Amino acid sequence: MGMMVWHALRNVDLKDVPAKARALEDLGYDLIATPESKHDPFLPLTLVAEHTERVRFTTSVAIAFPRAPYITANLAWDLARYSGGRFVLGLGTQVKGHNERRFSVPWGPPGPRLRDYIRCIRAIWHCWQNGARPDFEGEYYRYTLTNPDFDPGPIDHPDVGIVISAVNPYNTRLAGELCDGIAIHPLSSFRHQHEVVLPRVFEGARAAGRDPGELMVRSGGFIVTGRDEQELAESREVARRRIAFYSSTGSYAGILALHGLEETAAELRRLSIEGRWDVMPSRVSDEMLEEFCAVGSWDEIAAVMREKYAGLATAVNLEVEPRNPDEEAQVREIVAALQQIPTCAEVAPPP
């Protein structure tokens, strides 16, 4: 399979999900993603499964630690069953502050804990599929009790993919070692993806005796596009705000340091603490936009993305909203062109 093209359903009202999902499938998209931001990421995917036939779908990403592994395993199992195996479980850890102060869950070493979490989920699925006795005893999680009333039983497509978002070295390697792929953070420049992220992911896969070419690699970076110059300018400013927001978080300091942007990161961090969110975008230069974004009109974006993403991913993001049949036809052409971009599985991976 060539490059997949994915679209996120961001804050879409549940009543609008069926029509939106059908439209994306009709436009040729390969993957629909739901983030955990203002709404639960799993609930809309039941509607996506019901109202589509081909497209795959994923949580992008569900925050792991607020949900017990059993809860997440149950949600994923039901979605995989209902959709005929089209569901991919996307997980992330979030940062300490959000876990403790937004989700009210304790914080611990996120990498080892996520490893244990994934192993526990897979142990639960193994028991359901094979009727095995639950005997998982991990460092952070356990699954040692069940009875027939709590066992949903086997499904036709039990190999549910798990993709994790990852930034730090441990989790980036974990994506290759234990998971089915990685969702690269949007604040990851093309240089960072090539020089840092992919080598770590492939290192983890090779260390575990796995083929890196079989992994899903969902691209990072931002797509800046529009029908005309006005929309393109508006899209630039949206990306500028998002880059400013992410860059103010210490977790991403290493990405900015790769480009010599330590002072910019420090200033954005200070401005965020002061609550000066309206000032922060002005600190993101046009040069910074170029490092983190693929920029072009609808007529240009497929060629720009081919230049930026060839050999960097197996799935790229495109979020545009056609308003009439002519625009729908153009978006189908763009999606088809993006699907021809060489993937990192087709290009020699970093050593």
Side-chain angles (χ1 to χ4, degrees):
M1 182 177 181
M3 187 72 77
M4 299 176 67
V5 185
W6 62 277
H7 191 299
L9 295 182
R10 303 184 191 277
N11 303 319
V12 176
D13 193 294
L14 284 176
K15 66 180 176 59
D16 297 324
V17 168
K20 181 68 174 176
R22 287 193 298 265
L24 290 173
E25 185 170 65
D26 182 62
L27 289 170
Y29 280 88
D30 303 289
L31 182 69
I32 294 173
T34 48
E36 180 150 32
S37 51
K38 295 182 180 180
H39 302 286
D40 178 85
F42 289 97
L43 190 56
L45 295 182
T46 306
L47 295 171
V48 173
E50 180 179 10
H51 293 276
T52 58
E53 298 178 357
R54 171 192 55 81
V55 70
R56 300 175 74 187
F57 49 91
T58 182
T59 48
S60 179
V61 292
I63 309 307
F65 304 146
R67 298 176 179 88
Y70 188 96
I71 301 298
T72 302
N74 214 175
L75 288 165
W77 203 244
D78 285 347
L79 284 168
R81 182 197 300 270
Y82 186 43
S83 67
R86 291 185 287 139
F87 175 66
V88 178
L89 177 60
L91 294 173
T93 64
Q94 251 296 353
V95 296
K96 179 180 179 181
H98 282 271
N99 275 267
E100 292 183 340
R101 296 163 54 200
R102 182 155 70 104
F103 293 108
S104 299
V105 293
W107 184 249
R113 187 176 173 191
L114 184 60
R115 174 190 293 276
D116 209 43
Y117 190 97
I118 293 166
R119 291 179 63 236
C120 186
I121 284 177
R122 288 208 170 120
I124 294 167
W125 289 342
H126 172 75
C127 291
W128 291 346
Q129 187 66 20
N130 300 292
R133 178 183 176 185
D135 61 357
F136 180 81
E137 292 271 9
E139 183 177 359
Y140 299 92
Y141 300 101
R142 65 192 309 202
Y143 177 59
T144 60
L145 174 65
T146 192
N147 68 48
D149 286 341
F150 303 134
D151 186 343
I155 61 177
D156 291 337
H157 302 276
D159 296 324
V160 184
I162 298 178
V163 171
I164 63 171
S165 62
V167 176
N168 66 50
Y170 186 103
N171 282 0
T172 308
R173 294 187 185 96
L174 181 66
E177 175 194 345
L178 189 63
C179 305
D180 299 285
I182 184 171
I184 300 176
H185 196 278
L187 191 77
S188 185
S189 68
F190 303 102
R191 179 184 170 191
H192 185 261
Q193 292 174 63
H194 176 72
E195 296 182 8
V196 178
V197 178
L198 287 186
R200 286 176 180 164
V201 174
F202 294 154
E203 176 188 343
R206 292 190 183 103
R210 306 176 69 202
D211 179 2
E214 296 181 355
L215 299 173
M216 176 185 287
V217 179
R218 282 186 35 217
S219 61
F222 299 90
I223 308 304
V224 175
T225 191
R227 298 171 180 81
D228 50 38
E229 283 302 319
Q230 179 179 343
E231 285 193 356
L232 192 56
E234 292 170 355
S235 183
R236 279 194 184 93
E237 296 316 303
V238 170
R240 207 184 298 272
R241 288 195 297 273
R242 292 185 68 192
I243 291 170
F245 166 72
Y246 285 128
S247 298
S248 69
T249 303
S251 301
Y252 312 126
I255 300 172
L256 298 175
L258 182 67
H259 297 278
L261 295 169
E262 294 92 337
E263 291 184 6
T264 299
E267 183 179 14
L268 287 168
R269 175 65 174 164
R270 176 180 59 79
L271 290 171
S272 71
I273 293 172
E274 295 172 357
R276 300 173 63 188
W277 302 101
D278 56 333
V279 177
M280 289 167 58
S282 66
R283 303 304 192 264
V284 177
S285 67
D286 289 343
E287 291 75 18
M288 205 169 161
L289 277 179
E290 183 63 26
E291 294 286 357
F292 290 90
C293 303
V295 182
S297 68
W298 282 21
D299 292 331
E300 302 164 334
I301 195 62
V304 172
M305 290 179 65
R306 184 181 185 90
E307 179 182 352
K308 295 276 191 177
Y309 285 109
L312 279 187
T314 65
V316 294
N317 176 230
L318 179 73
E319 294 181 23
V320 294
E321 305 291 341
R323 298 177 296 200
N324 55 56
D326 288 342
E327 290 185 355
E328 289 172 359
Q330 183 177 8
V331 172
R332 288 190 189 94
E333 291 179 359
I334 297 171
V335 170
L338 297 180
Q339 289 166 338
Q340 300 305 310
I341 297 174
T343 71
C344 57
E346 300 170 283
V347 176

